[in-house]
Amino acid sequence: MQQYQWQILQLGGLPLRPDGSYEEQTLYCCTSTLVWPADSAPSPHNTLLTDPCLIGPDYRTSIKTLEAIGHQIPHIGQYFVTHPHFDHVPAYATPEHSLVGKPFFPTDNSLRLVHCPGHEAMLRAITFHDTEDRHVWIVGDAVLNEVWLRAWGYYWPNGYSPSEVAETWRSVANICAEADIIIPGHGEAIIVTQELLETLIQGFPQASYAAACPEVAEVLAVRLSKFK
Ligand SMILES: [Zn+2]
């Protein structure tokens, strides 16, 4: 199976915290990640950029990060949008960097798309194995960031229906069932550990509409058992 290298180019932020507090200094932008085959240098033929909405203040840093690995934004081959919300679709801080390839088209199973509905009905994660054979899941807003994940918090300003919330928790469970690393929609990479799973299982009964999706706790418990 083809393995991939990955590099977060724009670290996403979400000023609102699940407790309702607001971090004024944090800019609202998505996490954007570059993925390319482990056995190749990144090139216009083999690079994939996820959620290429590069509007954050660290955009220039992203460009430098790319250049450090011998790459430039205009030379990115394909892009993949996890879900069609305004903060994840292609956008660039400067017009000269508006040339980011074509939409991703899967050609084999080494880059797999997984439907993760809830936050948005069409949301898809993209998953692959990295050079340490870790299963990496880039999940968009199926997981907002680690703080929101641990709090069983969900956020969408238009409001969710109870069934959408339960769907969100099922997707969280499916992600945690397989991922070694979760790259969320608005934060840093999250490593799936025994401690994280124990915390999620402990907190789940207090999650909204937990009673509507009891299988979530079972799925998490099965994954936890693999750590012991
Ligand atoms: Zn988002």
Side-chain angles (χ1 to χ4, degrees), residues 14 28-30 83 85-88 119 140-141 144 156 185-186:
L14 187 63
Y28 185 95
C29 68
C30 73
H83 63 298
H85 284 165
F86 76 98
D87 56 325
H88 295 260
H119 176 85
D141 291 351
L144 292 165
W156 176 236
H186 290 267

Side-chain angles (χ1 to χ4, degrees), residues 28-39:
Y28 185 95
C29 68
C30 73
T31 295
S32 182
T33 308
L34 188 73
V35 179
W36 69 97
D39 51 8

Side-chain angles (χ1 to χ4, degrees), residues 30-192:
C30 73
T31 295
S32 182
T33 308
L34 188 73
V35 179
W36 69 97
D39 51 8
S40 311
S43 84
H45 306 290
N46 65 10
T47 38
L48 176 71
L49 186 64
T50 67
D51 289 345
C53 189
L54 300 173
I55 56 169
D58 57 348
Y59 175 74
R60 293 287 164 200
T61 313
S62 301
I63 302 292
K64 288 199 178 73
T65 304
L66 268 175
E67 286 172 352
I69 56 174
H71 213 48
Q72 292 174 344
I73 289 271
H75 297 153
I76 285 167
Q78 294 185 314
Y79 65 86
F80 174 71
V81 177
T82 55
H83 63 298
H85 284 165
F86 76 98
D87 56 325
H88 295 260
V89 296
Y92 309 97
T94 54
E96 72 265 26
H97 292 121
S98 63
L99 298 169
V100 173
K102 302 178 186 131
F104 172 65
F105 185 79
T107 52
D108 64 48
N109 271 338
S110 63
L111 285 170
R112 191 164 61 99
L113 301 183
V114 183
H115 190 209
C116 296
H119 176 85
E120 197 276 327
M122 300 298 291
L123 195 152
R124 292 170 306 167
I126 187 163
T127 80
F128 55 88
H129 284 83
D130 75 3
T131 52
E132 293 169 51
D133 209 32
R134 299 175 299 188
H135 203 178
V136 180
W137 283 56
I138 300 176
V139 303
D141 291 351
V143 174
L144 292 165
N145 62 36
E146 186 161 352
V147 172
W148 282 82
L149 173 65
R150 286 175 179 269
W152 288 102
Y154 61 92
Y155 169 69
W156 176 236
N158 296 339
Y160 276 121
S161 68
S163 66
E164 285 170 326
V165 176
E167 204 65 58
T168 300
W169 301 153
R170 287 188 198 101
S171 290
V172 166
N174 290 341
I175 293 162
C176 291
E178 289 192 37
D180 298 310
I181 295 178
I182 301 167
I183 300 181
H186 290 267
E188 292 177 39
I190 302 163
I191 298 170
V192 178

